[in-house]
């Protein structure tokens, strides 16, 4: 086995696909100290890669609430939710989230998880019952794909956001239960699913829509409720998953859907039942974080993000025109995620390394995370970035292209 694994590892190295972890020496903020590849000196970089979109991970009120939560509730929950691990802050958080979405999903209930990965496994494995077919966007997040693999049902993969393709598949389906699975905002491209169309298809073909809004929650909609808030209609046929480690600045996830659906997940999902409940202090601090997201501060930070995004997009399009030989693809985005597709994995890696030398942390994203030939650098914005930060990044990118990196 060791020999085979070594061979595979060296294959990854040759293909430029070896992954490396980097050790951060300071908290998540727009500037962060991160060790060099050889773990030597830690230097401060401007971070354009975290999902801390609203910069709440470093918000003093969130940090104070976390400390307060530890004082009140101690360390770990000590057990799974259905043994003795479900504590008052977990319950309060679920009630708060259920209330927040009451106008978008009627008769709803909320259930929380310690990570989005677990939530996705739980939802799909619990709901894919009996004679069921799953219809999955080809660019869905890995955790949705793993949930689909785990439930061992027939899966039909439709071309990215191609709802004619999806409709054709739904039309041919004879299954009793049809689950459409999609990211709300796609994590590697930053574009969003067209939920209005998906709702219509779900009505027409008697299907359900499972939406993973990890990157939409907190960011989209004037109240920060995410992808469901920016649709023109509501649906009884939607199951929403949101994560709390991105815009909310802490960790965890929630599922909101009709109460019968959530009751069923609660009763049967192995990824809920057989895992220790998250630290109650996190749920306690999330109450504060969600207050901020859905209040004035959240509104201001969403406005700042929009400003930054427009500035970045404009600058990137300028670079694309200035350096046509690089055939950059600036993916059209409706979120603080901006992908710049550069093609081959080595190129994305080279660009990312050079940007790092220039003081910016911008990861190269390569297969298998994205399809072959679409390697990219992926820029993410946080509300605490300034226009000047974006200008400096654009300048650095320009100098990379001048040097023909
Ligand atoms: C679209 C999407 N869904 C789910 C997850 C998993 O969430 P978590 O990090 O909370 O496990 C992520 C990333 O982390 C994601 O990008």
């Amino acid at each position: 086995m060791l020999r085979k694994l070594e061979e595979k590892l060296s294959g990854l190295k040759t293909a430029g696909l070896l992954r490396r972890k980097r050790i951060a020496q300071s908290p998540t903020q727009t500037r962060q100290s991160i060790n060099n590849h050889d773990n030597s000196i830690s230097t401060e970089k401007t971070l354009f890669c975290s999902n801390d979109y609203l910069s709440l991970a470093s918000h003093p009120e969130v940090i104070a609430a976390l400390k307060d939560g530890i004082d009140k509730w101690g360390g770990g929950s000590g057990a799974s939710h259905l043994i003795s691990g479900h504590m008052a802050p977990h319950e309060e958080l679920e009630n708060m989230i259920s209330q927040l979405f009451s106008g978008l999903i009627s008769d709803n209930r909320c259930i929380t998880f310690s990570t989005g990965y677990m939530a996705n496994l739980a939802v799909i494995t619990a709901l894919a019952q009996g004679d069921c077919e799953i219809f999955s966007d080809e660019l869905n997040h890995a955790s949705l794909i793993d949930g689909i693999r785990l439930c061992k049902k027939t899966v039909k993969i439709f071309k990215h956001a191609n709802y004619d393709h999806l409709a054709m598949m739904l039309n041919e389906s004879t299954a009793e239960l049809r689950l459409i699975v999609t990211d709300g905002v796609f994590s590697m491209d930053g574009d969003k699913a067209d939920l209005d169309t998906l709702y219509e298809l779900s009505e027409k073909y008697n299907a359900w829509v499972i939406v993973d809004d990890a990157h939409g929650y907190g960011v989209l909609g004037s109240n920060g409720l995410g992808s469901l808030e920016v649709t023109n209609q509501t649906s009884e046929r939607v199951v929403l998953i949101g994560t709390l480690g991105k815009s909310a600045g802490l960790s965890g996830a929630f599922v909101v859907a009709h109460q019968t659906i959530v009751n069923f997940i609660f009763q049967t999902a192995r990824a809920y039942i057989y895992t220790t409940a998250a630290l109650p202090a996190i749920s306690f601090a999330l109450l504060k974080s969600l207050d901020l997201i859905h209040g004035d501060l959240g509104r201001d930070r969403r406005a700042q993000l929009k400003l930054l995004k427009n500035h970045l997009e404009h600058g990137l399009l300028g670079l694309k025109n200035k350096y046509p030989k690089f055939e950059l693809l600036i993916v059209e985005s409706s979120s603080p995620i901006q992908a710049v597709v550069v093609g081959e994995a080595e190129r994305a890696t080279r660009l990312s390394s050079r940007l790092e030398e220039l003081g910016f942390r911008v990861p190269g994203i390569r297969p298998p995370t994205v399809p072959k030939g679409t390697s990219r650098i992926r820029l993410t914005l946080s509300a605490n970035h300034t226009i000047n930060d974006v200008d400096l990044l654009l300048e650095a990118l320009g100098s990379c292209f001048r040097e023909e990196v």
Side-chain angles (χ1 to χ4, degrees):
M1 182 170 80
L2 292 181
R3 189 174 47 79
K4 286 237 147 89
L5 296 182
E6 289 293 351
E7 273 169 25
K8 290 205 163 158
L9 284 169
S10 80
L12 288 175
K13 188 170 182 192
T14 313
L17 293 176
L18 264 194
R19 296 170 187 266
R20 281 186 274 195
K21 67 179 175 191
R22 307 295 300 275
I23 303 172
Q25 299 288 359
S26 68
T28 301
Q29 286 180 345
T30 52
R31 274 174 199 49
Q32 190 176 46
S33 297
I34 298 177
N35 283 10
N36 293 324
H37 284 298
D38 61 0
N39 256 345
S40 56
I41 326 147
S42 152
T43 50
E44 199 173 75
K45 311 283 178 210
T46 305
L47 214 64
F48 279 101
C49 57
S50 94
N51 302 314
D52 180 28
Y53 301 121
L54 299 179
S55 296
L56 288 182
S58 56
H59 193 283
E61 288 184 49
V62 174
I63 295 167
L66 197 52
K67 289 179 183 161
D68 198 16
I70 288 171
D71 287 342
K72 290 194 167 92
W73 292 97
S77 61
S80 61
H81 283 276
L82 301 189
I83 303 293
S84 61
H86 189 76
M87 299 178 166
H90 298 117
E91 185 69 14
E92 213 180 314
L93 179 65
E94 289 177 354
N95 290 337
M96 179 182 190
I97 296 172
S98 160
Q99 188 59 36
L100 282 167
F101 283 94
S102 58
L104 294 172
I105 304 175
S106 52
D107 295 327
N108 82 46
R109 183 181 162 190
C110 169
I111 185 170
T112 53
F113 293 81
S114 42
T115 70
Y117 193 100
M118 299 296 274
N120 282 345
L121 294 194
V123 167
I124 297 174
T125 54
L127 300 186
Q129 294 289 316
D131 179 18
C132 166
E133 268 181 10
I134 297 179
F135 302 84
S136 176
D137 189 292
E138 67 178 338
L139 294 190
N140 276 342
H141 188 259
S143 55
L144 288 172
I145 295 169
D146 289 356
I148 292 169
R149 285 178 180 164
L150 203 56
C151 74
K152 298 188 188 135
K153 298 290 177 188
T154 305
V155 55
K156 304 265 166 74
I157 297 171
F158 58 93
K159 293 195 187 96
H160 176 50
N162 184 331
Y163 302 124
D164 291 336
H165 191 208
L166 170 63
M168 202 178 73
M169 289 173 162
L170 285 165
N171 194 35
E172 284 168 0
S173 170
T174 54
E176 218 166 76
L177 175 64
R178 302 174 189 110
L179 302 177
I180 301 167
V181 179
T182 184
D183 280 17
V185 169
F186 287 86
S187 54
M188 292 302 137
D189 289 39
D191 59 333
K192 61 180 194 322
D194 176 357
L195 291 188
D196 283 308
T197 302
L198 289 176
Y199 287 173
E200 279 158 24
L201 289 177
S202 71
E203 287 295 332
K204 181 165 177 192
Y205 294 103
N206 188 21
W208 291 81
V209 188
I210 296 175
V211 183
D212 172 356
D213 208 22
H215 299 275
Y217 174 69
V219 169
L220 298 184
S222 55
N223 296 310
L225 293 172
S227 296
L228 269 62
E229 195 186 339
V230 294
T231 53
N232 297 316
Q233 48 194 317
T234 56
S235 169
E236 309 268 293
R237 295 177 163 273
V238 69
V239 178
L240 172 70
I241 300 133
T243 65
L244 299 164
K246 303 184 194 303
S247 282
L250 287 157
S251 69
F254 61 82
V255 175
V256 185
H258 187 279
Q259 49 184 300
T260 303
I261 293 175
V262 173
N263 287 345
F264 193 76
I265 293 169
F266 175 85
Q267 292 294 336
T268 63
R270 296 169 69 84
Y272 180 73
I273 298 171
Y274 298 107
T275 186
T276 301
L279 256 68
I282 296 177
S283 297
F284 187 87
L286 280 164
L287 296 169
K288 168 52 70 184
S289 166
L290 268 55
D291 253 350
L292 296 173
I293 291 179
H294 303 294
D296 290 343
L297 178 131
R299 244 182 298 281
D300 291 348
R301 293 199 170 186
R302 280 185 286 281
Q304 167 71 359
L305 272 179
K306 214 170 255 175
L307 213 74
L308 291 163
K309 176 207 161 342
N310 291 342
H311 193 73
L312 175 65
E313 194 177 51
H314 182 77
L316 288 173
L317 289 171
L319 287 175
K320 176 184 163 69
N321 292 336
K322 196 163 174 192
Y323 300 100
K325 77 168 188 180
F326 288 104
E327 295 179 353
L328 302 175
L329 173 65
I330 316 296
V331 179
E332 203 173 321
S333 162
S334 25
S335 71
I337 301 170
Q338 182 61 63
V340 181
V341 178
V342 297
E344 292 314 309
E346 292 83 0
R347 215 165 140 227
T349 308
R350 267 201 320 272
L351 195 52
S352 164
S353 305
R354 182 67 186 123
L355 282 170
E356 182 151 347
E357 285 164 15
L358 296 171
F360 301 89
R361 182 93 175 95
V362 174
I365 311 279
R366 302 160 294 169
T369 308
V370 290
K372 212 161 174 262
T374 73
S375 290
R376 62 198 62 194
I377 53 168
R378 176 178 176 266
L379 309 163
T380 52
L381 295 162
S382 295
N384 278 355
H385 280 126
T386 61
I387 292 286
N388 190 46
D389 289 332
V390 174
D391 282 339
L392 292 173
L393 171 71
L394 289 165
E395 217 171 275
L397 267 169
S399 75
C400 290
F401 295 135
R402 270 195 303 284
E403 293 164 12
E404 303 210 5
V405 171

